[in-house]
Amino acid sequence: MILYKLSSVTKIKSGKKILDNISCEIDKGKIFVIMGPSGSGKTTLLRLLNRLEDPSEGEMFFNGEDIKKIDVRELRKKVAMVFQIPLLFGEKAVDNILYPAKLYKIEVNPEEVIELVGLKRDILNQKIDSVSVGQAQRIAIARSLVLNPDVLLLDEPTSALDFSSKIEIENLIKDLNKNLGISIIFVTHDLEQAKRMGDRAVLIVEGKKIEEGSIPEMFENPRSSELKKFLKGELK
Amino acid sequence: MIKVFIAGGLVAIAIILAFIQKIGIVKDLSFGAVRSFIQLIAVGYIIQFVFDLKGVLYQSLLLFIMVLIASYTSRGRAKKSPHAFLLSLISIFTGTFITLGVMLLMRIITTEPKFLIPLGGMIIGNTMNAVSIFLERFYNEFKERKNLIEVFLSLGASPREASKELVKKSVKTAMIPITNIMKIVGIIQLPGAMTGMILAGASPLEAAKIQIIVIYMLSASVAIAISLLALISYRFYFTPSAALRL
Ligand SMILES: Nc1ncnc2c1ncn2[C@@H]1O[C@H](COP(=O)(O)OP(=O)(O)OP(=O)(O)O)[C@@H](O)[C@H]1O
Ligand SMILES: [Mg+2]
């Protein structure tokens, strides 16, 4: 089953081509990795998927439907997003869990949600400025799970974390994919992380799609010279 | 006129004293004295001219020009705020129009120029201040909180919900000057209009009554203009699909 289909998507910002004629398909239920050097357009590509931005040209389909025809609130209910730097709001951690539930007028059990991301219940009443960055990122993930999304978009969610929290978050994301069946679309410029996490990947360089395939295939038999360079760490 | 010259003589004595004591305010003081003389005489003539404009149409036209100038000034202060001129125009106009209109309908004031023009001027001036504070504050807060607003949007918030807190904050800030005036009026400072009326021979109670009306009109107009901005201004920061306009 195809989750997203992008056809000839171009994004121009202040006269500059940020994404250049990208076509690709993303499968449902898998972990899809968007890789590329810094400034290559990964974040921009991810932001198209929940319509925080729209393409300048080209078409996008979500579950076979033209993404522009889907009510954006419905889309964002199904497609949750986790940002690079976890920004919490309100006074206590629990406010972050209650907010989306209130928006959509649904019931939520904050304790259940917070345990889902491997945190203890008592963190719910902790002041937001007293939680660690790793905990904040987990709370941000918990917050994005409240609406039972089909898809989770993550933009380098571990770049602000130390190695052990990084591995923990990676495992958490893999569990969410395996146990809850949530499709994961994951941005990283960390090769090892892509290898540990992903089923399939796409490499973006300077806004262009260079290569796409399954992770083992791409890492063992890179076709393009850019991917070869990227794997050697020569593209930064 | 002779009184003016006597008062002017006092300023001259002050200037001479300052000159003798070399305190370096001679230039400022003499310039100031001449400048305020010219300004006030000019304004006197202009107001005399306006008071001769008996027709409501002329007065309305003059008020509208004042609203336009105020909107332009407000835009100048909140330069980067999107559509600052249009938003200022709509909100200042509405606040002024409604308050003056209600006062006229209730027969608290009449269409004589001595009411409409100075009152209108005060209303427009105070409303303009609040409006430009609101626009500037909202723009700056928004710019600073862009990432947080995107968090709200990605959790399914509508533009209105996502900017609710910022709107509230900006409303509060914009209302500070007028609420401060309401708090201290009469205690720390007698407003100019009231002082003038008492000097011109009105009873202090009469002057107070007029002043209360003026203050209420000012705050009503400010409140109307700011509520209107709270309802519409944030919309210009979002696309129809609830994304930030970058
Ligand atoms: N509003 C804008 N106007 C012009 N250029 C922009 C704008 N926003 C982003 N860019 C540029 O677009 C390019 C892609 O940005 P993007 O954030 O998508 O990159 P990225 O791959 O996520 O990078 P990183 O790994 O550093 O996060 C960058 O060169 C960036 O400078
Ligand atoms: Mg990025």
Side-chain angles (χ1 to χ4, degrees), chain B residues 11 32 34 38 66 79 116 124 133 151 156 176 193 195 203 221 239:
Chain B
V11 178
V34 175
I38 295 172
M66 286 157 74
K79 251 190 203 91
L116 273 189
I124 292 167
I133 293 172
V151 169
I176 287 174
T195 315
S203 80
S221 174
T239 68

Side-chain angles (χ1 to χ4, degrees), chain B residues 133-135 137-138 140-142 144-145 148 163-176 226 230:
Chain B
I133 293 172
F134 178 94
L135 293 176
R137 179 66 189 248
F138 188 68
N140 287 332
E141 288 273 342
F142 201 94
E144 217 165 277
R145 303 296 199 91
L148 185 63
S163 44
K164 202 163 72 183
E165 287 304 312
L166 300 193
V167 169
K168 240 194 231 166
K169 247 193 215 169
S170 311
V171 167
K172 249 191 181 157
T173 315
M175 297 295 291
I176 287 174
I226 297 303

Side-chain angles (χ1 to χ4, degrees), chain A residues 178-221:
Chain A
K178 222 186 303 155
N179 303 336
L180 302 179
I182 301 177
S183 309
I184 305 285
I185 302 171
F186 193 97
V187 167
T188 186
H189 62 247
D190 178 341
L191 281 172
E192 292 307 314
Q193 184 167 53
K195 232 194 276 186
R196 285 192 296 267
M197 302 274 303
D199 296 312
R200 288 180 72 79
V202 64
L203 174 69
I204 308 282
V205 178
E206 288 176 5
K208 292 192 180 71
K209 179 177 122 178
I210 301 297
E211 200 167 328
E212 185 192 352
S214 79
I215 294 269
E217 187 183 295
M218 283 179 81
F219 277 76
E220 279 149 36
N221 297 309

Side-chain angles (χ1 to χ4, degrees), chain A residues 13 47 50-54 72-73 76 79-81 83 87-89 99-100 103-104 143-144 147, chain B residues 145-158 161-162 164 239-244 246:
Chain A
K13 277 199 221 177
R47 288 161 58 87
N50 71 345
R51 295 197 69 197
L52 283 181
E53 292 180 45
D54 282 326
V72 71
R73 253 173 74 88
R76 289 178 189 162
V79 182
M81 186 172 227
F83 295 85
L87 262 186
L88 301 184
F89 50 79
Y99 183 85
L103 282 180
Y104 286 86
R143 164 176 87 187
S144 73
L147 302 171
Chain B
R145 303 296 199 91
K146 240 168 140 177
N147 293 337
L148 185 63
I149 290 180
E150 286 200 322
V151 169
F152 290 139
L153 291 176
S154 69
L155 289 171
S158 65
E161 284 155 338
K164 202 163 72 183
T239 68
S241 52
L244 297 186
L246 296 173

